Amino acid sequence: MELQVPHQSSNRPESLEPLSSNASTAKEENEIQESEIQDIDPSVERRVRWKLDLTIMPLLTSVQFLANMAKSDLGNAEVAGLTEEMNLNSKEYSDLAIMITVGYLIFQIPGTMLIKKIGPPYQFGGAMIAWGVFTTCVVAAKSLGSLMALRFLTGAAESFIHGSLIYLSFWYRYNELATRGAFFDGTAALAGAFNGIMAHSIQVHLDGKNGWRAWRWIFLIEGCVPIAWGFVVFVFLPSSPDKMRSTSVFSPAEKEILIQRSQSAHNTGSSKIRPKAMLEVLMDPTFWMLAGIDCGVHVTTAALTNFLPPILDGLGWEDEKAQLMSSIVYACAFVNIMFCARVADKTNKRGILIVANCCVALVGFVMLLAITNDTTRLVGTCLIAAALMPCLMLVIVWLAMNFPGYSYRTSSIAFINVCAQLFGILGNKVYADPPYYRQGLAVSAGMTVMVGILAIGLLWRLRLLNKKKDLEKDSQNSLELSLLSIDEIGNKHPEFRYVY
């Protein structure tokens, strides 16, 4: 990412002389931070980054893995006897499927923006324990109403881990985020694959045990695990570099390097919520174009979470076989998530990857809508999942890199997640025509076209904005803005350059 911190000039225009003390201080701090960051020995930083990958990443990835298992367990429960025992028709199942998304929607903003105020270990660990309890309680549900209430509460609890990318940016530089973000985003695919295998085993070995159908065992097992693991996260996950104690893993000198790295990603802002920053995000066309991309992708990916096993059931693989086949689909998605993340970090390009993935997904939609052969349709399903699931990671990292500063970044991620959950509800509602779900697939295909067009448009817009900044870098307004910090004015800073 091309980002330079402005240096004070001794011959600035006379009209800029009466600087506020706050602006001067912010400018001096920026210069000091940049100097220190440039002086880090690459081999030492490499060692620190490796330690982060072995300590922070496994804990954070485990949180995402278990959350995605909880999100995708409903689809496996459907083919394990849920709809049959509870007498649910396709509309009632669709209504049940959206309740976890409604929980996300309502609690998304506080769940994202309070991460510094509450503290990541308390917020993530507490969320895991809460959703584990609600998931376990599903085994006692006897009506659609109780199922819907518990799924809503599960979504509400899970919304408090959706600030994971913000937490990652406390520890990693911009050019390291996509690969690391892919590890916990890729857990959505791994969790789906693992869920399918585990649900198959439960259905084969536990169906009927204790008088319970297999779907109740699925919720019981997948609820107990996050309850136990939540306490591990609560104890061992550090809050941030500046609040972390020096340990046998990180020495005091390495802790200082971690703090400098966090400053380079512009996370030095306070935990106080700034309404002005929130409003500025909502007034930025760049945000809404990124939101449109994320929303379009969510229509398909949210529906896949709940409807993939039923879709495969309609392709000819019934019951536990459908659960096993879903593992293949998610495994394909995981491979492409990791590939796209690595390419994005190496090339610093994200928009073009989104466009390319949209083209691949459209091939998959054509195969599902136009071909009746079951094997070919399975390949189409794999293409759709493998192409669109990486886009979720790419767009969020793209957003985080183009909205620097803690207040701007948390606001933009919170708002985009709210928008995405609204479209996730749409995705679940349009997949209401089993067994082939042609209506849902057609809507998803149209949304994918929209995503590709918006990505192309945003690539063009960001290039123009960078050219405009280059042309105006010596203007009076740019010189005035350069005296403020990036935490104060975000992507409006004259030395900031958009990444596309």
Side-chain angles (χ1 to χ4, degrees):
M1 178 176 184
E2 184 184 347
L3 178 59
Q4 301 171 347
V5 179
H7 298 279
Q8 188 168 349
S9 173
S10 58
N11 59 346
R12 64 177 181 267
E14 189 68 26
S15 60
L16 300 184
E17 285 296 336
L19 295 176
S20 69
S21 59
N22 286 343
S24 302
T25 302
K27 187 175 178 64
E28 291 167 3
E29 288 177 352
N30 281 343
E31 293 169 352
I32 293 171
Q33 288 174 12
E34 182 70 9
S35 173
E36 290 175 344
I37 290 165
Q38 290 174 346
D39 290 340
I40 298 176
D41 186 296
S43 63
V44 175
E45 185 175 16
R46 198 159 42 243
R47 184 177 69 245
V48 170
R49 186 169 59 243
W50 181 242
K51 288 183 178 181
L52 284 175
D53 289 342
L54 294 177
T55 54
I56 301 292
M57 286 304 301
L59 284 171
L60 193 63
T61 300
S62 69
V63 174
Q64 291 292 326
F65 181 84
L66 294 172
N68 282 298
M69 282 192 67
K71 190 187 300 183
S72 61
D73 54 16
L74 186 65
N76 290 306
E78 194 273 345
V79 298
L82 171 66
T83 53
E84 180 184 343
E85 183 177 342
M86 302 297 287
N87 295 315
L88 304 180
N89 58 39
S90 60
K91 181 183 182 303
E92 289 171 332
Y93 176 76
S94 180
D95 291 340
L96 175 61
I98 70 171
M99 291 311 297
I100 194 169
T101 307
V102 174
Y104 294 158
L105 180 63
I106 295 176
F107 290 92
Q108 188 70 238
I109 292 178
T112 303
M113 300 195 68
L114 294 177
I115 187 169
K116 270 193 175 181
K117 185 76 71 175
I118 298 174
Y122 305 107
Q123 182 164 320
F124 294 168
M128 293 183 75
I129 294 169
W131 92 60
V133 170
F134 298 138
T135 300
T136 302
C137 288
V138 171
V139 301
K142 298 187 183 302
S143 67
L144 175 61
S146 58
L147 282 172
M148 294 179 74
L150 287 168
R151 292 297 285 178
F152 168 80
L153 292 172
T154 300
E158 283 195 20
S159 67
F160 281 83
I161 67 155
H162 287 176
S164 297
L165 185 67
I166 296 171
Y167 178 73
L168 273 185
S169 71
F170 294 169
W171 306 92
Y172 290 99
R173 293 182 185 268
Y174 284 132
N175 64 347
E176 302 163 353
L177 274 179
T179 299
R180 275 73 188 183
F183 274 104
F184 68 79
D185 253 20
T187 59
L190 280 183
F194 182 77
N195 231 2
I197 295 171
M198 189 180 72
H200 171 265
S201 180
I202 290 173
Q203 190 162 356
V204 170
H205 298 291
L206 292 179
D207 194 22
K209 297 287 186 181
N210 197 41
W212 288 357
R213 293 295 305 273
W215 70 269
R216 293 187 188 270
W217 286 106
I218 290 173
F219 283 113
L220 176 65
I221 294 171
E222 294 186 7
C224 289
V225 175
I227 293 174
W229 195 250
F231 289 100
V232 176
V233 172
F234 188 83
V235 172
F236 292 105
L237 188 71
S239 288
S240 60
D242 57 314
K243 294 182 180 179
M244 181 182 65
R245 297 177 182 176
S246 298
T247 64
S248 58
V249 179
F250 294 100
S251 66
E254 289 172 336
K255 178 184 174 182
E256 288 303 314
I257 291 175
L258 289 173
I259 292 174
Q260 293 171 30
R261 284 166 53 86
S262 184
Q263 291 169 344
S264 75
H266 307 103
N267 282 307
T268 55
S270 70
S271 60
K272 182 179 179 181
I273 297 174
R274 294 169 52 200
K276 180 182 177 182
M278 297 171 67
L279 182 61
E280 288 178 359
V281 168
L282 292 175
M283 297 295 290
D284 192 333
T286 299
F287 167 78
W288 288 109
M289 295 181 78
L290 285 164
I293 294 170
D294 199 33
C295 291
V297 174
H298 259 82
V299 169
T300 303
T301 56
L304 279 177
T305 301
N306 293 314
F307 288 92
L308 182 56
I311 288 172
L312 294 174
D313 194 19
L315 296 184
W317 289 281
E318 297 181 354
D319 300 333
E320 65 269 16
K321 290 183 180 179
Q323 293 163 339
L324 279 178
M325 299 308 292
S326 69
S327 300
I328 297 175
V329 177
Y330 283 118
C332 293
F334 177 76
V335 171
N336 198 39
I337 287 171
M338 300 310 300
F339 173 76
C340 289
R342 197 62 184 156
V343 172
D345 275 349
K346 287 293 185 180
T347 64
N348 208 26
K349 305 295 182 184
R350 285 151 190 88
I352 193 66
L353 286 172
I354 292 175
V355 174
N357 277 313
C358 285
C359 294
V360 174
L362 287 173
V363 173
F365 283 120
V366 170
M367 294 171 72
L368 284 178
L369 289 168
I371 300 175
T372 58
N373 178 270
D374 290 341
T375 302
T376 304
R377 288 168 63 81
L378 175 62
V379 173
T381 305
C382 290
L383 288 176
I384 292 169
L388 292 183
M389 292 188 77
C391 294
L392 296 176
M393 171 272 301
L394 291 169
V395 71
I396 291 296
V397 173
W398 202 9
L399 176 82
M401 295 179 74
N402 284 312
F403 284 87
Y406 179 76
S407 296
Y408 292 96
R409 184 174 296 137
T410 53
S411 300
S412 61
I413 291 178
F415 289 140
I416 201 172
N417 281 335
V418 168
C419 296
Q421 299 310 330
L422 284 170
F423 276 75
I425 293 175
L426 170 65
N428 281 289
K429 295 298 289 184
V430 297
Y431 279 78
D433 54 333
Y436 293 109
Y437 298 98
R438 296 189 185 278
Q439 171 185 287
L441 292 170
V443 172
S444 292
M447 287 292 178
T448 302
V449 172
M450 179 193 77
V451 168
I453 293 172
L454 282 174
I456 293 171
L458 187 56
L459 286 169
W460 175 76
R461 170 179 167 78
L462 295 182
R463 285 191 176 98
L464 285 184
L465 289 174
N466 282 346
K467 288 181 180 179
K468 182 179 179 182
K469 286 194 172 195
D470 290 339
L471 292 173
E472 298 177 352
K473 63 182 179 180
D474 295 324
S475 67
Q476 180 84 359
N477 183 57
S478 291
L479 290 172
E480 291 175 352
L481 291 175
S482 69
L483 301 174
L484 301 174
S485 71
I486 284 181
D487 278 319
E488 291 176 288
I489 59 175
N491 55 23
K492 295 182 180 64
H493 198 285
E495 297 299 329
F496 175 82
R497 292 298 181 270
Y498 292 96
V499 177
Y500 45 80

